[in-house]
């Protein structure tokens, strides 16, 4: 449901900024400056709109990709550094935000101490794995280590019950793999094979680091790899994880115990400091049956090696340079990055995960004002109105379903900028001991925080993103859109300087309209106004929706972003539906503004042209081939280029704006254009 792609987007080093470049040109209008005049809009609209920028802004060596999110993030990083440096100068009381921020920063930035320590901070736990005499003991350790941030065997978490959004539930899903997903173990294309080799080389390095000679390390790697391949075989594919009903299997703890006789759940929950629950929601029961068999069939020494490599890999980012670099080399097989990002950025990212909201509280005080908050809150209401009109005009939906859709739309909660209520981090044990121990302490705080939610009413005021995040999300269980302050930032511009066309294309369409449409995409439409998974559609209307979704699946299946890899139209349909919906809703709302009706040109561009260029600006982005391949295989979002060229060709206004005609590459026959909302 998340708008932007994974954190890869935020990996960045300082580069020549967009504004420096703009300062030299006649105007500082990104919608003009980013254009590549050698490309016609009808040939490749994405390249026409963004190609000028792409040509002059090389991807930095430390990055997998580079784009608008990085440009915004550069500004945010500078602000966060100021907050951190200020905190280190104060002698603050233990447990205060200032003490935590200051100690976290100074400890993590102390490279001498980090390098001198090596993997010493992990040795005690690694020895406990070695000392275990049974798989049952290992599982108890796995439960305990999970609270510190090293998750093995499977994935467990606590979140809202899909069928009863008033309740939190203990949930289990497939997991336990060292590569991103099951396909990595079975695909045979060149890029995947390269990743498999890099992964095996990485495991062998860890086993040698733990004291084994090369021959033994290679043998251990082969055994662990074979074990993970068996777990991968029992795992579902990306598209098969989309159906919320098939991935919802509520059962009593006793019933779960029956299908996994070798996994003692009472012991596991106790070791994970989690109350013994009556019921569990299991995503993929067949994975648990397969895992249970492996617990007995696989030798305990292989399980030990499996746990040990995971323990080192999970914390490598917070350890000495050698341990970190071994992992970086493996990761770069999927990102294409040529060198690691600078330490200070990695530390800020780690801190973001540990206590981002504490920083956010200080961040918005200094950098987000009430006028901006109001502007975007109003924009949400304009988009809501536009959606209401669209539903009213649908010819394929019955009045009965429409009434429920209106109700759901009206009840979507909007969260804009920052939370009204802040999390209390005072119990988080941040000290000057070591970077890795601070991260483990933060993970334990988060674990307790989640566990404390069990058997309590759901807190609907919470945010799952921090205010300084360049991202946004729709949460179906709360029927809410969450739009952090960071997502509205335009590099080098103050909010008041932005013209309507840019705001409607960049923010209203690509963020607000996109997130609201998630409430009515292939997954979101299956949840009702209260956030419960329940079918509120008439059977015929449901079929009509699927028929239209099929068109967008087909449209995106045709795209080949890298090598011979096609986009997975099925797995990405929710995001593609949200993009198309956002583009339509943003335009509906923009058409009501004086900027549109006056027809006034800005820098020679019509309002309609600027609207589409503003939309394309939200995906100003380029990625390395490795990263693109990784995205196509693991991400439910289509790559940036297709997120622009895919939706625009379904709107007649796009053809009108740029005079695109039959025979142009971007032209799509009217009967093939997708029309859902
Ligand atoms: Zn999305």
């Amino acid at each position: 449901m998340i708008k932007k792609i994974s954190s890869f987007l935020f990996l960045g080093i300082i580069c020549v900024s967009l504004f420096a470049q703009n300062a030299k040109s006649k105007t500082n209008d990104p919608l003009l400056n980013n254009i590549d005049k050698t490309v016609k809009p009808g040939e490749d609209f994405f390249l026409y709109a963004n190609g000028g920028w792409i040509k002059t802004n090389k991807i930095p060596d430390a990055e997998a990709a580079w784009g608008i999110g990085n440009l915004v993030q550069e500004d945010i990083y500078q602000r966060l550094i100021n907050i951190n440096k200020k905190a280190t100068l104060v002698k603050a009381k233990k447990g205060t935000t200032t003490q935590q921020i200051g100690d976290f920063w100074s400890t993590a930035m102390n490279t001498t101490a980090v390098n001198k320590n090596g993997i010493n901070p992990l040795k005690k736990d690694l020895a406990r794995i070695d000392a275990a005499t049974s798989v049952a003991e290992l599982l108890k350790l796995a439960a305990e280590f999970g609270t510190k941030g090293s998750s093995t065997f499977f994935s467990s978490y606590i979140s809202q019950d899909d069928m009863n959004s008033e309740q939190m539930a203990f949930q289990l899903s497939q997991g336990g793999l060292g590569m991103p997903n099951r396909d990595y173990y079975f695909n045979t294309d060149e890029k995947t094979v390269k990743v498999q080799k890099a992964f095996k080389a990485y495991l062998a390095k860890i086993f040698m680091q733990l004291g084994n000679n090369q021959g033994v390390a290679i043998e251990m790697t082969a055994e662990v790899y074979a074990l993970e391949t068996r777990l991968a075989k029992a795992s579902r594919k990306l598209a098969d994880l989309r159906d919320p009903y098939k991935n919802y299997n509520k059962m009593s703890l006793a019933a779960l115990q029956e299908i996994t006789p070798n996994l003692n759940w009472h012991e596991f929950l106790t070791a994970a400091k989690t109350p013994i629950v009556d019921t569990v929601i299991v995503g993929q029961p067949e994975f648990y049956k397969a895992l249970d068999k492996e617990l007995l069939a696989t030798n305990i020494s292989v399980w030990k090696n499996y746990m040990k490599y995971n323990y080192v890999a999970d914390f490598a980012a917070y350890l000495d340079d050698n341990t970190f670099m071994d992992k970086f080399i493996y990761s770069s097989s999927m990102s294409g990055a040529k060198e690691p990002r600078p330490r200070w950025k990695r530390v800020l990212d780690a801190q973001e995960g540990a206590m981002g909201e504490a920083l956010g509280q200080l961040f918005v005080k200094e950098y987000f004002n009430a006028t901006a908050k109001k502007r975007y809150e109003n924009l949400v209401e304009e988009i809501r109105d536009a959606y209401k009109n669209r539903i009213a005009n649908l010819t394929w939906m019955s009045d009965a379903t429409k009434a429920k859709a209106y109700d759901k739309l009206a009840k979507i909660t909007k969260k804009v900028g920052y939370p009204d209520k802040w999390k209390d981090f005072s119990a988080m044990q941040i000290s000057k001991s070591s970077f890795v121990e601070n991260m483990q302490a933060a993970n334990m705080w988060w674990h307790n925080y989640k566990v404390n939610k069990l058997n309590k009413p759901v807190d609907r005021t919470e945010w799952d993103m921090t205010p300084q995040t360049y991202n946004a999300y729709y949460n179906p269980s709360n029927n809410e859109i969450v739009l952090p302050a960071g997502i509205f930032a335009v590099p080098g511009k103050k909010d008041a300087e932005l013209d309507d066309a840019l705001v409607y294309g960049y923010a209203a369409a690509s963020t607000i309209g996109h997130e609201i449409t998630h409430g009515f995409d292939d997954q979101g439409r299956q949840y009702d106004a209260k956030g419960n998974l329940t079918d509120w559609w008439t059977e015929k209307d449901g079929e009509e929706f699927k028929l239209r979704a099929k068109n967008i699946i087909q449209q995106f299946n045709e795209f080949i972003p890298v090598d011979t890899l096609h986009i997975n139209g099925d797995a990405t349909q929710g995001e593609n539906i949200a993009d198309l919906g956002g583009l339509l809703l943003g335009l509906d709302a923009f058409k009501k503004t004086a900027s549109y009706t006056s027809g006034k040109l800005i820098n020679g561009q019509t309002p309609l042209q600027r609207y589409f260029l503003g939309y394309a600006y939200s995906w100003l982005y380029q990625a390395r081939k490795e990263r693109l391949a990784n995205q196509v295989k693991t991400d439910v979002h289509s790559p940036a280029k297709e997120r622009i060229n895919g939706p625009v060709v379904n709107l007649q206004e796009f053809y009108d704006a740029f005079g695109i005609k039959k025979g142009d590459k971007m032209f799509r026959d009217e009967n093939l254009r997708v029309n859902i909302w």
Side-chain angles (χ1 to χ4, degrees):
M1 303 288 170
I2 286 167
K3 182 205 165 198
K4 302 286 175 182
I5 55 172
S6 67
S7 59
F8 273 107
L9 206 97
F10 309 122
L11 314 181
I13 64 162
I14 292 182
C15 85
V16 181
S17 76
L18 185 67
F19 352 119
Q21 187 202 354
N22 286 340
K24 281 183 229 142
S25 52
K26 279 181 219 144
T27 128
N28 69 344
D29 179 4
L31 303 193
L32 188 66
N33 294 339
N34 295 340
I35 287 178
D36 181 350
K37 287 190 185 128
T38 67
V39 181
K40 289 199 179 76
E43 201 181 321
D44 183 331
F45 181 63
F46 173 85
L47 271 189
Y48 165 74
N50 294 329
W53 179 86
I54 289 172
K55 275 182 183 167
T56 47
N57 289 270
K58 192 173 150 268
I59 302 172
D61 282 352
E63 302 296 333
W66 195 248
I68 184 80
N70 302 92
L71 300 179
V72 172
Q73 187 64 42
E74 289 302 309
D75 277 357
I76 294 174
Y77 275 142
Q78 291 308 326
R79 294 167 182 187
L80 293 177
I81 281 213
N82 289 340
I83 292 171
N84 271 286
K85 285 190 174 159
K86 261 192 212 166
T88 55
L89 299 175
V90 182
K91 216 176 145 51
K93 232 175 83 190
K94 175 96 184 150
T96 58
T97 306
T98 310
Q99 175 265 322
Q100 291 169 324
I101 292 173
D103 285 356
F104 188 98
W105 175 257
S106 60
T107 308
M109 289 303 288
N110 185 348
T111 46
T112 316
V114 171
N115 280 327
K116 205 178 131 209
N117 268 337
I119 61 163
N120 285 339
L122 309 187
K123 282 197 169 150
K124 215 169 123 190
D125 282 341
L126 289 168
R128 292 171 70 200
I129 298 173
D130 272 328
T133 56
S134 66
V135 172
E137 253 180 84
L138 287 181
L139 284 164
K140 277 195 274 181
L141 285 177
E144 185 193 325
F145 296 168
T147 70
K148 294 184 184 181
S150 179
S151 156
T152 43
F153 294 91
F154 53 83
S155 294
S156 65
Y157 56 96
I158 290 157
S159 72
Q160 271 162 291
D161 182 339
D162 265 1
M163 299 272 187
N164 178 4
S165 66
E166 294 301 325
Q167 231 163 31
M168 300 299 283
F170 182 73
Q171 317 220 16
L172 294 171
S173 74
Q174 63 187 38
L177 303 180
M179 289 196 286
N181 68 20
R182 51 121 42 224
D183 289 347
Y184 276 84
Y185 294 81
F186 304 110
N187 286 7
T188 54
D189 61 283
E190 193 192 322
K191 283 205 175 58
T192 306
V193 171
K194 209 180 108 193
V195 176
Q196 290 165 353
K197 279 187 187 157
F199 179 57
K200 287 180 196 166
Y202 179 42
L203 296 201
K205 276 185 205 167
I206 295 179
F207 293 132
M208 285 194 277
Q209 187 181 14
L210 296 178
N212 303 288
N213 70 39
Q214 196 179 14
V216 173
I218 289 171
E219 211 173 291
M220 288 172 164
T221 298
E223 288 168 343
V224 168
Y225 192 84
L227 165 64
E228 287 196 8
T229 307
R230 294 193 293 276
L231 294 180
K233 204 175 168 202
S235 304
R236 290 186 192 173
K237 291 190 174 201
L238 193 59
D240 298 332
L241 296 170
R242 284 198 78 69
D243 184 331
Y245 287 97
K246 283 186 186 147
N247 291 282
Y248 181 98
N249 303 281
K250 199 175 197 170
M251 55 181 86
S252 67
L253 195 65
L256 172 65
Q257 192 60 73
E258 227 163 87
I259 61 167
T260 54
N262 299 309
L263 215 165
N264 186 323
W265 289 100
H266 276 255
E267 283 186 2
F268 182 87
L269 289 168
T270 307
K273 298 187 181 71
T274 304
I276 307 295
V277 289
D278 300 329
T279 54
V280 187
I281 297 167
V282 184
Q284 303 78 28
E286 73 279 10
F287 172 84
Y288 281 84
K289 287 181 195 163
L291 171 68
D292 188 75
K293 283 204 187 89
E294 284 301 329
L295 292 177
L296 269 198
T298 301
N299 195 296
I300 184 171
S301 66
V302 180
W303 281 119
K304 283 184 180 181
N305 290 331
Y306 165 79
M307 279 185 74
K308 283 195 280 188
Y309 103 70
N310 270 295
Y311 202 73
V312 175
D314 285 335
F315 299 116
Y318 326 116
L319 294 165
D320 61 286
D321 290 346
N322 289 336
T323 307
F324 166 76
M325 278 309 290
D326 288 346
K327 185 169 183 184
F328 169 78
I329 290 165
Y330 160 54
S331 314
S332 66
S333 71
M334 289 175 284
S335 70
K338 295 184 168 71
E339 63 186 36
R341 305 171 68 233
R343 181 169 200 88
W344 64 270
K345 283 191 179 174
R346 291 189 268 126
V347 170
L348 286 179
D349 289 347
Q351 192 180 40
E352 171 75 15
M355 52 173 105
E357 207 177 280
L359 289 142
Q361 203 170 348
L362 303 174
F363 179 88
V364 292
K365 236 188 242 169
E366 293 194 39
Y367 303 109
F368 193 71
N369 67 32
T371 318
K373 188 172 158 92
K374 193 85 203 124
R375 180 180 201 173
Y376 294 107
E377 279 177 346
N378 291 341
L379 212 46
V380 172
E381 294 314 321
E382 288 179 33
I383 294 293
R384 201 195 301 263
D385 284 345
Y387 215 143
K388 200 174 160 193
N389 282 330
R390 287 213 157 250
I391 294 170
N393 291 331
L394 290 180
T395 51
W396 57 268
M397 188 185 263
S398 69
D399 286 344
T401 307
K402 278 185 183 180
K404 300 229 165 97
Y406 292 139
D407 182 45
K408 176 165 184 180
L409 178 68
K411 287 184 177 147
I412 292 178
T413 306
K414 61 175 185 287
K415 294 178 175 175
V416 178
Y418 51 88
D420 297 326
K421 200 178 91 191
W422 298 93
K423 291 184 178 79
D424 174 9
F425 291 100
S426 57
M428 193 184 280
Q429 297 298 313
I430 302 298
S431 71
K432 286 188 170 168
S433 56
S434 71
F435 185 14
V436 67
E437 282 162 287
N438 280 341
M439 283 308 289
Q440 292 183 338
N443 288 332
M444 282 194 272
W445 184 92
W446 279 102
H447 178 80
N448 289 337
Y449 179 78
K450 295 274 178 190
V451 164
N452 278 331
K453 289 173 175 294
L454 275 173
N455 309 319
K456 286 193 192 123
V458 169
D459 178 3
R460 296 203 186 229
T461 68
E462 254 197 320
W463 283 51
D464 287 334
M465 273 180 191
T466 68
Q468 64 273 28
T469 303
Y470 184 75
N471 210 336
Y473 66 94
Y474 171 77
N475 174 0
S477 293
N478 282 346
N479 192 26
E480 65 178 5
I481 54 171
V482 184
L483 313 164
I487 190 65
F488 298 118
V490 172
K493 294 266 191 187
K494 291 212 170 68
D495 198 70
E497 300 171 64
L498 308 175
D499 64 284
D500 279 339
L502 196 160
V503 168
Y504 280 81
Y506 180 81
S510 104
T511 300
I512 302 170
H514 174 100
E515 297 307 342
I516 283 194
T517 308
H518 270 317
F520 303 92
D521 71 13
D522 65 311
Q523 288 185 319
R525 74 173 190 89
Q526 304 188 61
Y527 295 77
D528 67 9
K530 286 187 175 146
N532 289 317
L533 184 55
T534 174
D535 195 356
W536 48 271
W537 295 57
T538 66
E539 205 183 321
K540 185 168 175 292
D541 291 336
E543 289 309 315
E544 291 284 342
F545 176 91
K546 282 185 201 157
L547 220 71
R548 284 159 179 79
K550 218 167 128 188
N551 292 336
I552 209 165
I553 294 173
Q554 276 167 357
Q555 190 200 351
F556 277 79
N557 274 338
E558 289 165 17
F559 287 119
I560 307 171
V562 59
D563 298 343
T564 54
L565 281 176
H566 283 259
I567 288 185
N568 184 337
D570 210 1
T572 57
Q573 61 173 305
E575 293 302 331
N576 300 331
I577 291 169
D579 281 340
L580 177 57
L583 189 64
L584 288 163
L585 295 168
L587 185 54
D588 291 350
F590 179 49
K591 282 182 176 172
K592 293 197 168 156
T593 64
S595 310
Y596 175 81
T597 49
S598 75
K600 207 180 127 205
L601 303 187
I602 297 180
N603 290 326
Q605 296 165 340
T606 67
L608 210 46
Q609 288 174 338
R610 279 186 78 76
Y611 172 77
F612 286 105
L613 289 166
Y615 181 69
Y617 184 48
S618 74
W619 279 106
L620 180 81
Y621 180 85
Q622 56 179 328
R624 295 186 194 281
K625 284 189 164 186
E626 290 87 346
R627 168 69 192 128
L628 266 181
N630 170 262
Q631 189 183 346
V632 172
K633 279 182 279 193
T634 63
D635 198 331
V636 294
H637 300 82
S638 302
K641 182 175 181 166
E642 289 73 21
R643 292 189 72 170
I644 301 304
N645 288 349
V648 294
V649 298
N650 294 310
L651 274 71
Q652 183 54 41
E653 286 89 342
F654 171 69
Y655 298 90
D656 300 341
F658 297 98
I660 294 162
K661 295 189 177 61
K662 206 175 170 102
D664 289 331
K665 263 193 199 158
M666 292 287 294
F667 188 86
R668 194 166 174 86
D669 275 331
E670 266 177 68
N671 61 345
L672 288 176
R673 291 181 198 165
V674 182
N675 191 349
I676 304 176
W677 290 108

